[in-house]
Amino acid sequence: MPAQTAQILDGKALAQKIQSQLKERIQTLEPQIGRPPGLAVLMVGDNPASAAYVRGKERACKNVGIASFGRHFPTQTSQQELEQVIDELNRDERVDGILVQLPLPEHLDSNALLYKIHPDKDVDGLHPVNLGRLVRSEPGLRSCTPAGVIRLLQEYEIELKGKQAVMVGRSILVGKPLALMLLEENATVTIAHSRTQDLASVVRQADILVTAIGRQETIGADMVKPGAVVVDVGINRVVGANGESRLVGDVNFDAVAEVARYITPVPGGVGPMTVAMLLHNTVQSYGRTG
């Protein structure tokens, strides 16, 4: 019998659909508000991966009609200088969203910078006020990657209510907020991490398995319940014998695709959704100003 192949959860296609919807929404709102939405991405230093991400975000902004107020600072920029820039952007009525591109050089305190951003302009959804709103199930800006995962599951009409969801990873960027969002959708949520005993047996219980640990192909077919939904948030760069690099996730895609019912690819799964939700948050913040 041929191996059963899971249905792909296509984040790239959904991200394009969301961008088209946002473009239409901006075209409706702009005549009423009198300006386009504005997003400021602040980048410090010369991390090549960060530079590529920022370029991607700026391209996506241009596609939907969001004005970019991005700033690129030299590595040695001081904490005080950056905090001053964030204060100015908080007051700037043309700017609806402010994002500090992580990671930052070691001499900077990223938490202090995040706390400086006004919660209503915190399009990354990482300010304690927005995380608090999530805990209380109140409206607010939601963290982009977790919100993108939920939106992707909704697009494919995957039932979360009453399901066993296992979140592997507990970072403030993905694991913790996504566990709360799954709980909000009435899933029964387990958070597993590097100190979890017998990780394989915990993961094998999952109807919905989300992994964000950043270790290449850790999750094999023997760890996945047949018919599970597998969402791979991990992005790991591996270099082959020929010296060429490629991106892989935390999941052994080919093996797991034979037992799962749905699976996200890497790349082309969760990554594009993160950018789409960043644009969504910017437009949400902009719509409130109208």
Side-chain angles (χ1 to χ4, degrees):
M1 279 180 60
Q4 189 228 328
T5 304
Q7 184 178 344
I8 300 290
L9 298 174
D10 188 343
K12 194 172 178 183
L14 178 56
Q16 286 169 346
K17 177 179 163 180
I18 290 168
Q19 288 189 26
S20 299
Q21 291 167 343
L22 291 174
K23 189 173 185 174
E24 285 176 23
R25 181 153 166 71
I26 291 166
Q27 285 167 350
T28 305
L29 287 172
E30 196 171 332
Q32 300 165 24
I33 296 175
R35 62 170 180 84
L39 174 64
V41 180
L42 307 182
M43 181 180 154
V44 185
D46 298 306
N47 180 316
S50 292
Y53 287 139
V54 170
R55 279 196 303 275
K57 286 166 184 169
E58 287 176 347
R59 264 199 311 275
C61 281
K62 194 174 177 186
N63 287 344
V64 301
I66 294 173
S68 283
F69 294 90
R71 304 273 297 274
H72 186 177
F73 300 90
T75 303
Q76 294 313 316
T77 304
S78 71
Q79 183 86 11
Q80 187 184 0
E81 191 178 338
L82 289 167
E83 289 185 5
Q84 199 175 331
V85 168
I86 290 171
D87 281 337
E88 287 166 12
L89 292 168
N90 280 334
R91 291 192 298 271
D92 191 334
E93 290 180 358
R94 300 168 303 162
V95 175
D96 302 287
I98 304 167
L99 169 74
V100 176
Q101 183 68 42
L102 303 174
L104 291 167
E106 282 182 7
H107 69 281
L108 295 171
D109 180 345
S110 58
N111 281 343
L113 292 174
L114 289 173
Y115 293 1
K116 270 281 176 196
I117 298 170
H118 190 285
D120 291 344
K121 293 192 178 189
D122 162 44
V123 284
D124 234 359
L126 295 176
H127 192 283
V129 167
N130 284 322
L131 290 168
R133 287 171 178 158
L134 170 60
V135 170
R136 296 178 58 89
S137 294
E138 292 174 0
L141 294 167
R142 299 291 193 243
S143 189
C144 298
T145 300
V149 170
I150 296 293
R151 180 70 183 79
L152 189 56
L153 294 172
Q154 287 169 342
E155 180 71 11
Y156 286 84
E157 297 179 348
I158 291 167
E159 181 69 70
L160 297 175
K161 187 168 57 179
K163 298 293 192 220
Q164 292 284 345
V166 176
M167 176 71 240
V168 187
R170 54 178 166 177
S171 74
I172 201 69
L173 283 171
V174 180
K176 286 175 184 169
L178 185 44
L180 288 163
M181 289 180 201
L182 288 163
L183 200 56
E184 209 169 35
E185 298 293 328
N186 298 309
T188 300
V189 182
T190 301
I191 303 176
H193 45 80
S194 58
R195 301 288 188 279
T196 298
Q197 293 187 351
D198 196 359
L199 179 65
S201 73
V202 174
V203 168
R204 220 176 282 122
Q205 303 300 311
D207 301 311
I208 314 287
L209 172 61
V210 186
T211 172
I213 47 176
R215 288 210 303 272
Q216 69 183 70
E217 300 178 342
T218 302
I219 308 292
D222 59 330
M223 295 173 75
V224 175
K225 181 180 182 177
V229 177
V230 179
V231 178
D232 191 349
V233 184
I235 296 181
N236 311 286
R237 190 172 291 280
V238 297
V239 181
N242 57 3
E244 285 185 12
S245 69
R246 62 190 178 91
L247 296 178
V248 298
D250 295 341
V251 172
N252 183 331
F253 181 88
D254 292 339
V256 170
E258 292 184 13
V259 293
R261 185 165 174 219
Y262 292 95
I263 191 167
T264 59
V266 176
V270 176
M273 290 302 300
T274 300
V275 177
M277 298 319 285
L278 171 67
L279 304 181
H280 166 85
N281 282 352
T282 304
V283 174
Q284 186 182 325
S285 179
Y286 169 68
R288 276 205 301 263
T289 66

